[in-house]
Amino acid sequence: MEHQHGNQQFACPMHPEVVKDAPGKCPKCGMDLVPLSNSKEEHSSHQHHVQHESEHAHPHMKVEKHSQHEHQHSGHSGHAHHAGMIDDYKRRFYIVLALTLPIMALSPMIQHWLGVDWMFTGSSYILMLLSSIVYFYGGWPFLIGLKDEVKSKSLGMMTLVAVAITVAYVYSVAIVLGLAGMDFFWELATLILIMLLGHWIEMKSIMSASRELELLVQLMPSEAHLIHGEHITEVKTEDLKTGDVILIKPGEKIAADGIITEGNSYLNESMLTGESKPVEKSKGDKLIAGSINGNGSLRVEVSHGSKDSYLAQVIKLVQDAQQSQSKTQLLADKAAGWLTIIALVSGALTFIVWLSLGKDLAFAMERMVTVIVICCPHALGLAVPLVVARSTAISAQSGLLIKNRTAFENSRKITVLVFDKTGTLTLGKFSVVRFDSLSESYNRDEVLAIAAALEQNSEHPIATGIVEKAKELKLSLPAITDFNAITGKGIRANWSGKQVRVVSPGYLKEHDMNIQPPASSEAETVVYVVIENRVAGLIALADEIRKESPDAIRILRANGIKTFLLTGDNKEVARKVSESLGMDGFMAEVLPHQKLKKIEELQEKGEFVAMTGDGVNDAPALAQANIGIAVGSGSDIAAETAGIVLVNSNPKDVVNLILFGKATYKKMIQNLIWATGYNVIALPLAAGVLYNFGVMLSPAMGAVLMSVSTVVVAINARLLKV
């Protein structure tokens, strides 16, 4: 297929960091490079499934419309290509395996070891014919890879394997045609066989590592039930617009972000938030596209279309993270490049040294081939990308969205974690912390029920807190009439022929209702229930600390991380929250621009600072911090200044992030140590430094060790857990 290259770039579907200006093969895995979408009309299979969704996440990008159903089931070229590559390696492996058995049976070396003589006239030519099929058919992926690597001036694993099998094949053919020596045909066949097996296993591991991310894409249903008056029509999910009303039947996936207008149900949001417990949803609650409805039927008003959905933003963030190169990955890539050069040079030197020591050509050739094969940097090239693919996908499922790989890896360096208060360490809403009766005529439950009856007509945060407490206690609310607001002071109504007010302390003072106020904290907001101009009771509310916050702070302290509270609230509130959680300090009554200064002050003291925030006012501080962590879902998820986004406003997720970042980095280092350490030990053995002690590695054994090294790296990446 002819391409008009121009400014078109091409990338590897499995190694997104490999980007070339021309088509070819990936130097790391040998897969075909696919075009990155410069035009708005192309969908790069490089992002197999994901790119389609990420393009929809940007309304300014004009994209041809494709059905979501087609998107999920037509076998996007990237995914189909990956599956095709696995099948190709599998097919080549089995064919080469079938040919390897007679090649080994006809090999003079194997017959000598077995003490048999199966030679006959023309057997050497049959051996050469079978080996030629193995070389050209089984070795074709490596030969093509060599051409592409040379063309792109990026020598790697394919170059090493291709050079090794070509040297072995040409030398062996020369032996059959009259050159004195012993052929390498059986070593050639087993080498190619093992390399194909290694690639087959590796490709399956890579596919498995990315499967978690594909599940995110598959969450979005292809169609939705659009309500038009009394009629319901089936429409494509991507055609939904803001303001549309859709029907969600029991057991169906939510087709778009929206607000429930009718119905209630329990929803499974585990794939999006990591919360396994079903969440109760009713009228007025927000829904996230991709979550799964329970047994209830819901009518939902669409808040924005699929291209702007929360899920689309998640997929875009994940995709960007998987494509971003961290310092660790760059180090691995550089090491792999150098290892290729070292392998070729070491192979040539090994050949020259053994010849100069008087060994025959066949022996020197064998050592050279073994050195080149065993030093293939495949494991090193995969050491970081496999961990990246795994960690990013797992993070997305657990509500940790990594926008910047370097920030995520650097989470292990955090010495100070600065928390925003409202909505992170606290619930971000007023909750009743205590209530009591101040009159013998009414008990405390009656006081709360009466207040809730009045407040249910108000949308004020205090009112919401009182009503929710009454619901929690399952109190029956009395009927009230003639509801009115008292501007700036509270509310009033009639109950059972009595005038009832829910008012602030200022109202009592203004009307000389002097009572001895009960002991309270400045962190609390107190309202009074007044019945017929007599104070009947009080209700104290506060921004309640999340139940997860104490454990989060404790775990952080146990890991040597200092914690500070940074809030715009008054000092008394900040002090109470900070002290109750055992934090190292607080910074209160700060404006948005002052938050940035506080972060700078900590950095000047040599601290590596992470900052959590949940809104626009936190953006300057998030940008200044060494690691910015945006907290909260919805529109906040797109906070451009943060390197990491937490879906839930749960402080324990911050802890999970840091611990998972440490675990991820540890896996990367383990893989790098294994991949490089393996070569440090294997190269001298392959070169024959222990020849005088009877230790020799054959080319086939070199291929086995190389493949095992790759598989070990892949398995180690798969063992990564949150």
Side-chain angles (χ1 to χ4, degrees):
M1 182 177 174
E2 292 293 320
H3 294 273
Q4 298 295 322
H5 299 168
N7 296 322
Q8 179 72 71
Q9 289 188 310
F10 300 80
C12 173
M14 282 294 110
H15 299 102
E17 70 275 12
V18 177
V19 180
K20 306 292 182 185
D21 293 326
K25 299 281 186 179
C26 174
K28 293 184 176 181
C29 64
M31 294 183 64
D32 291 323
L33 301 181
V34 296
L36 286 173
S37 186
N38 283 340
S39 73
K40 279 76 174 179
E41 299 174 337
E42 293 177 327
H43 292 285
S44 167
S45 60
H46 164 55
Q47 289 114 11
H48 68 281
H49 295 298
V50 181
Q51 177 67 28
H52 181 82
E53 291 291 334
S54 68
E55 287 177 338
H56 284 288
H58 292 279
H60 67 272
M61 295 179 70
K62 295 173 65 179
V63 184
E64 287 185 354
K65 288 188 176 182
H66 294 265
S67 124
Q68 185 74 24
H69 182 78
E70 292 171 353
H71 167 69
Q72 291 179 349
H73 302 290
S74 65
H76 251 251
S77 58
H79 192 183
H81 182 68
H82 302 165
M85 289 292 291
I86 293 174
D87 290 339
D88 183 60
Y89 278 117
K90 180 180 177 181
R91 183 169 53 254
R92 291 179 189 271
F93 169 78
Y94 280 119
I95 291 174
V96 171
L97 175 62
L99 293 170
T100 298
L101 296 176
I103 288 173
M104 293 185 72
L106 293 173
S107 171
M109 179 64 73
I110 299 294
Q111 293 182 30
H112 174 73
W113 287 345
L114 296 175
V116 298
D117 184 5
W118 295 332
M119 304 295 290
F120 56 87
T121 304
S123 62
S124 60
Y125 291 98
I126 295 174
L127 180 61
M128 182 175 71
L129 176 62
L130 295 175
S131 299
S132 297
I133 297 172
V134 169
Y135 171 72
F136 287 106
Y137 178 73
W140 188 249
F142 311 107
L143 297 173
I144 293 297
L146 165 65
K147 186 188 81 170
D148 292 330
E149 286 183 357
V150 171
K151 189 176 179 181
S152 64
K153 298 179 181 178
S154 178
L155 302 184
M157 188 208 63
M158 292 298 182
T159 298
L160 296 182
V161 176
V163 169
I165 63 175
T166 300
V167 169
Y169 176 72
V170 171
Y171 176 77
S172 298
V173 170
I175 295 295
V176 174
L177 297 178
L179 184 68
M182 185 81 68
D183 64 71
F184 281 170
F185 284 134
W186 80 270
E187 289 98 333
L188 168 71
T190 52
L191 173 56
I192 292 175
L193 182 71
I194 293 164
M195 293 302 301
L196 289 172
L197 177 62
H199 270 65
W200 177 19
I201 295 173
E202 178 211 328
M203 294 294 288
K204 288 181 70 175
S205 297
I206 292 171
M207 286 286 287
S208 179
S210 63
R211 196 166 290 131
E212 292 93 346
L213 181 55
E214 289 183 28
L215 292 175
L216 286 174
V217 178
Q218 295 169 7
L219 282 176
M220 189 72 78
S222 60
E223 294 183 336
H225 315 297
L226 181 64
I227 300 174
H228 284 293
E230 299 298 318
H231 302 284
I232 298 176
T233 52
E234 303 297 313
V235 299
K236 300 296 183 186
T237 300
E238 62 196 42
D239 293 334
L240 293 174
K241 304 182 297 294
T242 302
D244 285 345
V245 178
I246 58 176
L247 175 67
I248 310 295
K249 298 178 182 179
E252 289 187 337
K253 294 175 180 176
I254 309 301
D257 293 357
I259 298 172
I260 298 176
T261 60
E262 186 179 323
N264 62 343
S265 185
Y266 282 86
L267 271 77
N268 181 353
E269 298 179 340
S270 58
M271 275 297 293
L272 299 159
T273 66
E275 176 56 61
S276 58
K277 186 180 178 182
V279 182
E280 186 177 6
K281 299 284 186 178
S282 56
K283 185 178 179 180
D285 288 336
K286 294 180 180 179
L287 297 184
I288 303 173
S291 52
I292 302 171
N293 188 21
N295 295 324
S297 183
L298 303 172
R299 290 196 176 205
V300 177
E301 183 179 338
V302 176
S303 55
H304 41 254
S306 61
K307 65 181 180 181
D308 300 317
S309 72
Y310 165 77
L311 183 58
Q313 294 183 59
V314 170
I315 293 169
K316 177 65 170 67
L317 288 173
V318 173
Q319 177 211 348
D320 289 346
Q322 288 193 337
Q323 290 190 55
S324 65
Q325 285 187 288
S326 66
K327 291 180 179 179
T328 312
Q329 190 167 323
L330 290 170
L331 175 65
D333 292 343
K334 187 177 289 186
W338 277 107
L339 187 58
T340 300
I341 297 171
I342 291 170
L344 291 171
V345 172
S346 298
L349 287 174
T350 298
F351 178 77
I352 294 169
V353 168
W354 281 117
L355 276 183
S356 64
L357 292 174
K359 292 294 181 180
D360 58 30
L361 182 62
F363 182 90
M365 288 280 248
E366 183 184 75
R367 291 301 93 213
M368 179 179 72
V369 169
T370 307
V371 166
I372 291 173
V373 169
I374 212 165
C375 287
C376 286
H378 215 192
L380 190 56
L382 292 170
V384 173
L386 281 180
V387 177
V388 167
R390 175 75 174 165
S391 67
T392 307
I394 291 177
S395 299
Q397 292 177 27
S398 304
L400 313 176
L401 306 181
I402 303 164
K403 293 177 63 180
N404 185 297
R405 290 296 320 174
T406 301
F408 180 57
E409 291 177 26
N410 284 341
S411 62
R412 73 189 191 279
K413 300 178 182 177
I414 295 172
T415 60
V416 169
L417 186 53
V418 178
F419 283 97
D420 179 48
K421 178 182 73 70
T422 308
T424 305
L425 294 176
T426 65
L427 292 173
K429 61 181 182 181
F430 280 101
S431 301
V432 175
V433 292
R434 57 192 180 92
F435 59 100
D436 211 348
S437 171
L438 300 177
S439 169
E440 294 181 356
S441 303
Y442 307 97
N443 62 42
R444 61 196 299 269
D445 283 354
E446 286 178 317
V447 168
L448 183 63
I450 293 168
L454 270 70
E455 297 286 13
Q456 65 183 340
N457 294 293
S458 171
E459 294 182 355
H460 192 280
I462 289 176
T464 303
I466 292 173
V467 172
E468 285 188 359
K469 186 66 176 180
K471 285 183 179 178
E472 181 188 322
L473 298 176
K474 298 180 179 179
L475 301 179
S476 178
L477 305 187
I480 60 107
T481 58
D482 300 329
F483 173 86
N484 281 293
I486 309 172
T487 306
K489 302 291 192 309
I491 54 176
R492 66 185 175 202
N494 289 329
W495 164 64
S496 296
K498 301 175 182 177
Q499 190 179 67
V500 181
R501 296 179 178 86
V502 180
V503 294
S504 67
Y507 181 90
L508 299 185
K509 189 179 292 185
E510 190 177 301
H511 290 77
D512 295 323
M513 296 182 186
N514 295 319
I515 62 167
Q516 185 64 36
S520 67
S521 165
E522 288 183 36
E524 295 177 350
T525 297
V526 180
V527 296
Y528 293 88
V529 179
V530 179
I531 303 176
E532 294 291 286
N533 293 318
R534 297 185 62 146
V535 179
L538 65 87
I539 302 171
L541 302 97
D543 188 2
E544 190 177 350
I545 294 174
R546 289 178 176 274
K547 62 178 184 290
E548 304 93 348
S549 296
D551 279 346
I553 301 301
R554 178 181 55 77
I555 296 170
L556 289 169
R557 288 178 65 88
N559 282 269
I561 298 172
K562 295 188 283 287
T563 56
F564 288 89
L565 184 64
L566 185 62
T567 179
D569 278 359
N570 67 69
K571 290 182 179 178
E572 182 58 33
V573 172
R575 179 180 288 107
K576 180 185 177 184
V577 173
S578 175
E579 290 177 354
S580 65
L581 292 175
M583 302 179 75
D584 293 279
F586 65 90
M587 295 161 276
E589 300 176 7
V590 289
L591 297 173
H593 70 278
Q594 294 172 324
K595 288 185 177 183
L596 182 146
K597 294 292 184 184
K598 296 294 183 181
I599 299 296
E600 285 181 337
E601 289 173 10
L602 288 170
Q603 290 173 327
E604 287 169 1
K605 295 177 183 177
E607 305 286 1
F608 195 91
V609 182
M611 164 74 187
T612 68
D614 61 355
V616 177
N617 64 325
D618 296 314
L622 288 171
Q624 177 60 37
N626 298 98
I627 299 175
I629 304 170
V631 179
S633 57
S635 59
D636 290 340
I637 199 155
E640 294 297 328
T641 49
I644 299 163
V645 178
L646 304 182
V647 176
N648 300 312
S649 302
N650 187 338
K652 269 203 157 178
D653 284 349
V654 180
V655 177
N656 291 337
L657 163 72
I658 295 171
L659 298 181
F660 189 51
K662 288 183 177 181
T664 299
Y665 185 77
K666 186 178 178 181
K667 283 292 179 189
M668 289 181 179
I669 297 303
Q670 286 173 353
N671 276 0
L672 289 175
I673 290 173
W674 170 261
T676 53
Y678 147 82
N679 282 285
V680 169
I681 296 170
L683 193 151
L685 292 177
V689 295
L690 297 181
Y691 171 74
N692 291 331
F693 297 94
V695 179
M696 285 272 289
L697 289 178
S698 67
M701 183 54 66
V704 168
L705 292 176
M706 194 281 291
S707 297
V708 167
S709 175
T710 302
V711 172
V712 168
V713 164
I715 292 173
N716 193 44
R718 291 291 300 168
L719 293 175
L720 180 65
K721 305 287 184 186
V722 175

